Amino acid sequence: SKLSVRCRSKPQRQVCKTVLQHFDAQYREELGEQWKSARDVLLNPHSWQYGVLLNRFSDLTNLEQGLRALGYTSLLPRVQPESQSNTAHIPLQCLIHRDPFRLPNQGHQPGWLKQYFLLNAASVLPVLALDVRDGEKVLDLCAAPGGKSLAILQTATPRLLHCNEVDPHRHDWLLKTLESYVPTTLQHLLSVTRLDGRSVGGERPGAYDKVLVDAPCSNDRSWLYTPDTHQGDIWLKERAQLPLLQTQLLCSALAAVRPGGVVVYSTCTMSQAENQSVVEAILTSYQGMELLDLTQLIDSVSDHFGFAHLHPPVGHLVIPKKGQTWGPMYVCRLKRVY
Ligand code: SAM
């Protein structure tokens, strides 16, 4: 086997006190007791687990067997529940480990497809909620570095996967990811752009069957490790601006999806202002939008993920806890009725 079994965890990092104080005040209020266990996980990077998303387009000979021998297990049952139609659905292969192993990243080699992508296993939840079917036209509005675009391609063969990313540096990163994981024979399905996601709905109204808005957010895991207090202050100011941007991106997505189409909104923060409040604002301001039920999907992963008790109960939030350090990941599915 080519599998290297070197496993390592993140190097020591400093917690930013300003950000921690801010989180303590906000999340104690919003999450109560659940904040305690999430806090313990976030403050202990050595406990963080890593999911391994297998690339069905690469040569996986021996890899899966090797990982299972190391104690990796599947996040999802082999046969995943059919939720909406009879169209074939390819099971997504995400392997998890109960210990905080971190496989090495595979280097980019021209002409060779990488076998796996390391991710927070809760990141597959928005992709599963999107439930892409063969032949659909899909937009990933905020796509870099491309983990969810890649996961979408693991579950189905869309007619079009439009991956958009506004930031030039991250746009290049997205291109690299797609090149490293997607075979040249499927590249014609992809369209990669560098647009401001807020304008896409106006420019391409009703053009897609499914749209993913994996929104820019105050990424709770990395913000806690802001290098210095000054940077922490800047980020906390930026944080206040995020709900407006998120609402605009979600509006754009709802304009870009066809009537009857589905939009999934996700973030990797626990902040109510960036999660439920954004979705609620949309539901109260626009007619013809409906919140879709995700109970079946949530039940299928509830052995692995801890979920927060949300107030108001709009969408679902994976919240890290001891031994199941996945998340934070908020997910909500909306339908454009007309
Ligand atoms: N979906 C990605 C993945 O799974 O790999 C992660 C996306 S990250 C949470 C959010 C992304 O949105 C960032 O790369 C950020 O640069 C991008 N972004 C921020 N503002 C945007 C905008 N106005 N339009 C499009 N993308 C934007």
Side-chain angles (χ1 to χ4, degrees), residues 15-135:
V15 170
C16 175
K17 286 206 175 72
T18 319
V19 175
L20 181 60
Q21 276 168 9
H22 184 86
F23 281 4
D24 272 338
Q26 182 181 350
Y27 291 145
R28 211 179 283 138
E29 169 92 20
E30 290 179 7
L31 299 165
E33 280 300 297
Q34 286 188 304
W35 165 236
K36 265 195 198 158
S37 54
R39 185 184 197 274
D40 286 348
V41 171
L42 295 182
L43 291 179
N44 182 10
H46 293 287
S47 72
W48 295 358
Q49 292 158 283
Y50 294 87
V52 180
L53 178 68
L54 297 184
N55 183 16
R56 70 178 171 112
F57 307 119
S58 69
D59 178 7
L60 295 174
T61 319
N62 298 333
L63 176 75
E64 194 179 342
Q65 227 178 337
L67 290 174
R68 288 190 190 278
L70 284 173
Y72 280 87
T73 55
S74 293
L75 171 71
L76 302 160
R78 274 205 179 267
V79 180
Q80 285 153 34
E82 288 292 319
S83 54
Q84 280 165 3
S85 78
N86 297 325
T87 327
H89 199 266
I90 305 160
L92 184 136
Q93 278 281 43
C94 180
L95 301 183
I96 53 174
H97 201 288
R98 63 187 163 79
D99 296 325
F101 284 163
R102 189 169 192 269
L103 290 176
N105 286 313
Q106 294 184 312
H108 179 76
Q109 289 176 37
W112 180 79
L113 293 178
K114 293 189 187 182
Q115 298 167 297
Y116 59 81
F117 185 92
L118 297 183
L119 78 184
N120 184 321
S123 298
V124 302
L125 211 51
V127 173
L128 295 171
L130 201 62
D131 195 26
V132 172
R133 302 285 155 159
D134 289 354

Side-chain angles (χ1 to χ4, degrees), residues 141-148 164-167 170 196-197 214-216 249:
L141 194 62
C142 308
K148 293 187 189 66
N164 179 66
E165 168 58 49
V166 74
D167 179 272
R170 291 177 68 88
D196 184 327
D214 189 35
L249 287 166

Side-chain angles (χ1 to χ4, degrees), residues 85 145 149 168 185 189 271-272 289 318:
S85 78
S149 302
T185 50
L189 304 176
S271 175
Q272 186 180 315
M289 306 299 164
V318 179

Side-chain angles (χ1 to χ4, degrees), residues 23-330:
F23 281 4
D24 272 338
Q26 182 181 350
Y27 291 145
R28 211 179 283 138
E29 169 92 20
E30 290 179 7
L31 299 165
E33 280 300 297
Q34 286 188 304
W35 165 236
K36 265 195 198 158
S37 54
R39 185 184 197 274
D40 286 348
V41 171
L42 295 182
L43 291 179
N44 182 10
H46 293 287
S47 72
W48 295 358
Q49 292 158 283
Y50 294 87
V52 180
L53 178 68
L54 297 184
N55 183 16
R56 70 178 171 112
F57 307 119
S58 69
D59 178 7
L60 295 174
T61 319
N62 298 333
L63 176 75
E64 194 179 342
Q65 227 178 337
L67 290 174
R68 288 190 190 278
L70 284 173
Y72 280 87
T73 55
S74 293
L75 171 71
L76 302 160
R78 274 205 179 267
V79 180
Q80 285 153 34
E82 288 292 319
S83 54
Q84 280 165 3
S85 78
N86 297 325
T87 327
H89 199 266
I90 305 160
L92 184 136
Q93 278 281 43
C94 180
L95 301 183
I96 53 174
H97 201 288
R98 63 187 163 79
D99 296 325
F101 284 163
R102 189 169 192 269
L103 290 176
N105 286 313
Q106 294 184 312
H108 179 76
Q109 289 176 37
W112 180 79
L113 293 178
K114 293 189 187 182
Q115 298 167 297
Y116 59 81
F117 185 92
L118 297 183
L119 78 184
N120 184 321
S123 298
V124 302
L125 211 51
V127 173
L128 295 171
L130 201 62
D131 195 26
V132 172
R133 302 285 155 159
D134 289 354
E136 287 184 328
K137 290 164 92 178
V138 183
L139 167 64
D140 186 354
L141 194 62
C142 308
K148 293 187 189 66
S149 302
L150 188 62
I152 288 171
L153 290 171
Q154 302 302 312
T155 63
T157 308
R159 175 145 49 109
L160 166 72
L161 177 58
H162 175 183
C163 308
N164 179 66
E165 168 58 49
V166 74
D167 179 272
H169 171 71
R170 291 177 68 88
H171 173 264
D172 290 349
W173 190 4
L174 170 64
L175 287 172
K176 259 233 160 70
T177 304
L178 295 171
E179 188 190 324
S180 304
Y181 288 91
V182 184
T184 44
T185 50
L186 289 184
Q187 294 279 345
H188 68 280
L189 304 176
L190 306 176
S191 153
V192 185
T193 56
R194 226 185 74 193
L195 303 168
D196 184 327
R198 290 172 287 189
S199 67
V200 175
E203 286 165 18
R204 303 174 195 196
Y208 304 91
D209 299 296
K210 305 259 165 88
V211 181
L212 174 63
V213 187
D214 189 35
C217 65
S218 36
N219 180 330
D220 293 344
R221 261 182 208 255
S222 62
W223 281 33
L224 254 186
Y225 295 91
T226 308
D228 57 69
T229 312
H230 176 63
Q231 184 63 45
D233 287 335
I234 293 174
W235 278 7
L236 291 176
K237 281 197 188 100
E238 280 177 18
R239 189 172 213 225
Q241 311 297 323
L242 282 167
L244 175 62
L245 172 62
Q246 290 155 341
T247 309
Q248 289 169 337
L249 287 166
L250 183 51
C251 273
S252 171
L254 286 161
V257 80
R258 65 168 168 82
V262 165
V263 172
V264 168
Y265 176 75
S266 58
T267 73
C268 56
T269 177
M270 295 179 281
S271 175
Q272 186 180 315
E274 298 178 47
N275 295 338
Q276 303 103 291
S277 301
V278 168
V279 176
E280 280 200 311
I282 294 284
L283 288 171
T284 48
S285 317
Y286 295 88
Q287 290 190 326
M289 306 299 164
E290 186 182 294
L291 199 59
L292 292 177
D293 181 58
L294 281 173
T295 315
Q296 198 187 0
L297 172 62
I298 300 305
D299 285 351
S300 73
V301 292
S302 60
D303 283 351
H304 302 293
F305 297 155
F307 286 93
H309 310 296
L310 290 186
H311 309 288
V314 175
H316 299 268
L317 173 66
V318 179
I319 186 169
K321 60 180 189 180
K322 197 172 172 214
Q324 294 180 330
T325 65
W326 317 109
M329 179 59 57
Y330 175 78

